[in-house]
C-alpha cells in the first residue's frame, strides 16, 4: 500500500499541532509530571493532552485505521494500516526544561513503516518522509544520506543506568559503542533519528525500542536512502539506523562478530 499526499499532510499537521499544544502547556508551568516505571520514565499532562488531540483527529479523519499511542491509546483497525503516536518524545527532557524533544507519528502497514513525521517545536522544524516518499524538511527535499563507515561518525545511543554492567547485552553495547568517532546520549529516539537524517548525527542504535520511538524516525532515514534494521543479539532486539556500512558494522559488533 502506498501513502498519499493527504496522508503526508495529515501526519505533518498532527505533529505540528501536538508539539504546539505540548509547548503551550509547558509554558504555563503546570505539567503535573509523574513517574511511570522509574524516576526518568515520566509522563506529563502535556503528553496526555497531545495524544488526545492526535487521536481525536484520527478518529474523525481515519476511522478505519488502527492506533497505538505511547500514553495508552490502542485500537485495532479494519484497513490494515496503523498510526503510531508519540505525543512528546523526550519527556524527561521536556519536563526538565530542555528543548531536545519532539512530537512524532508513523503510519505503518503490518511490520512495514510507510510514513513518518517529526516536529521539533523549538526550531519550528518538521520532517516528513518514508521509504516511498523522499524526506522533506519544512517542505524542502533533503540531501540523501551518504554511505560511510562507522569510525568517522558520531553515534547516538542510550544505556539506562540499570543496564550498565549487566551481562552479555551490555557487553554487546560496549563493543558497538567503542567503534564510532564519538558517542552521544541525548534522550529522545525520534530527535536522534532526525539528527541522522539531517547529518547532525551519524547513526543511532538502542535496544528494546518501542515502535513509537523507532518507526517515525526510521521512516525519515529510509526516505533519504539510509538503512534501518532490527537485530536480535544476546537476548535483546536492537534498533540500528544510519548509513548502510555503519549499520552493518554496528550489527556485527552487537552480534560479536568483530574483535
Amino acid at each position: 500500500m502506498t501513502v498519499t499526499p493527504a496522508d503526508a499532510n495529515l501526519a505533518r499537521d498532527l505533529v505540528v499541532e501536538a508539539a504546539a499544544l505540548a509547548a503551550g502547556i509547558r509554558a504555563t508551568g503546570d505539567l503535573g509530571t509523574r513517574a511511570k516505571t522509574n524516576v526518568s520514565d515520566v509522563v506529563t499532562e502535556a503528553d496526555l493532552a497531545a495524544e488526545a488531540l492526535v487521536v481525536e483527529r484520527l478518529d474523525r479523519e481515519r476511522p478505519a485505521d488502527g492506533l497505538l499511542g505511547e500514553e495508552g491509546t490502542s485500537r485495532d483497525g479494519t484497513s490494515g494500516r496503523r498510526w503510531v503516536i508519540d505525543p512528546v518524545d523526550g519527556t524527561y527532557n521536556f519536563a526538565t526544561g530542555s528543548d531536545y524533544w519532539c512530537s512524532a507519528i508513523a503510519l505503518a502497514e503490518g511490520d512495514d513503516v510507510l510514513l513518518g513525521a517529526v516536529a521539533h517545536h523549538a526550531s519550528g522544524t518538521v520532517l516528513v518522509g518514508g521509504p516511498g516518499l523522499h524526506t522533506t524538511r519544512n517542505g524542502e527535499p533533503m540531501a540523501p544520506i551518504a554511505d560511510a563507515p562507522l569510525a568517522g561518525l558520531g553515534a547516538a545511543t542510550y544505556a539506562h543506568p540499570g543496564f550498565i554492567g549487566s551481562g552479555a547485552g551490555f557487553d554487546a553495547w560496549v563493543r558497538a559503542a567503542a567503534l564510532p568517532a564519538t558517542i552521544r546520549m541525548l534522550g529522545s529516539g525520534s530527535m536522534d533519528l532526525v539528527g541522522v537524517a539531517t547529518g547532525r548525527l551519524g547513526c543511532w542504535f538502542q535496544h528494546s525500542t518501542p515502535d513509537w520511538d523507532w518507526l517515525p524516525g526510521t521512516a525519515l532515514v529510509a526516505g533519504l536512502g539510509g538503512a534501518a534494521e532490527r537485530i536480535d543479539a544476546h537476548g535483546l532486539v536492537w534498533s540500528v539506523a544510519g548509513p548502510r556500512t555503519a549499520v552493518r558494522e554496528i550489527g556485527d559488533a552487537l552480534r560479536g562478530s568483530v574483535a
Side-chain angles (χ1 to χ4, degrees):
M1 184 181 292
T2 60
V3 295
T4 67
D7 292 326
N9 290 339
L10 178 58
R12 178 200 62 211
D13 291 349
L14 288 171
V15 293
V16 169
E17 292 169 11
L21 176 62
I25 293 172
R26 186 169 79 163
T28 70
D30 185 19
L31 282 176
T33 305
R34 61 184 184 275
K36 293 196 288 187
T37 62
N38 58 64
V39 69
S40 65
D41 180 20
V42 297
V43 64
T44 73
E45 293 303 318
D47 296 76
L48 301 173
E51 183 161 308
L53 178 151
V54 171
V55 169
E56 188 276 333
R57 186 162 176 187
L58 288 172
D59 280 344
R60 188 172 68 247
E61 299 192 27
R62 296 292 189 276
D65 293 348
L67 303 177
L68 176 67
E70 180 179 10
E71 306 310 335
T73 299
S74 181
R75 181 184 79 195
D76 293 331
T78 58
S79 68
R81 308 196 317 172
R82 178 181 63 157
W83 295 86
V84 180
I85 307 157
D86 197 341
V88 177
D89 183 40
T91 300
Y92 188 84
N93 294 345
F94 174 83
T96 55
S98 169
D99 285 332
Y100 200 81
W101 66 273
C102 61
S103 293
I105 197 165
L107 177 61
E109 184 178 24
D111 294 331
D112 298 324
V113 66
L114 304 175
L115 172 70
V118 177
H120 181 230
H121 183 81
S123 64
T125 303
V126 59
L127 274 65
V128 181
L133 180 69
H134 189 90
T135 300
T136 59
R137 175 170 49 193
N138 292 349
E140 295 297 322
M142 297 174 64
I145 294 172
D147 198 20
L150 185 56
L153 301 178
T157 185
Y158 183 70
H160 190 273
F163 175 67
I164 293 174
S166 61
F170 178 69
D171 292 343
W173 181 87
V174 169
R175 286 194 300 272
L179 299 178
T182 189
I183 287 288
R184 297 289 181 265
M185 293 192 198
L186 301 169
S188 168
S190 288
M191 282 295 295
D192 289 346
L193 289 162
V194 165
V196 174
T198 61
R200 292 195 303 270
L201 294 167
C203 56
W204 182 83
F205 68 99
Q206 187 171 316
H207 74 81
S208 308
T209 311
D211 282 350
W212 47 75
D213 286 338
W214 171 243
L215 294 178
T218 53
L220 304 177
V221 170
L224 296 172
E229 297 182 9
R230 277 183 156 160
I231 296 166
D232 290 307
H234 304 287
L236 296 170
V237 178
W238 301 82
S239 300
V240 187
R244 295 187 181 279
T245 295
V247 167
R248 184 182 68 250
E249 291 173 328
I250 292 171
D252 289 343
L254 292 171
R255 296 183 186 98
S257 51
V258 298

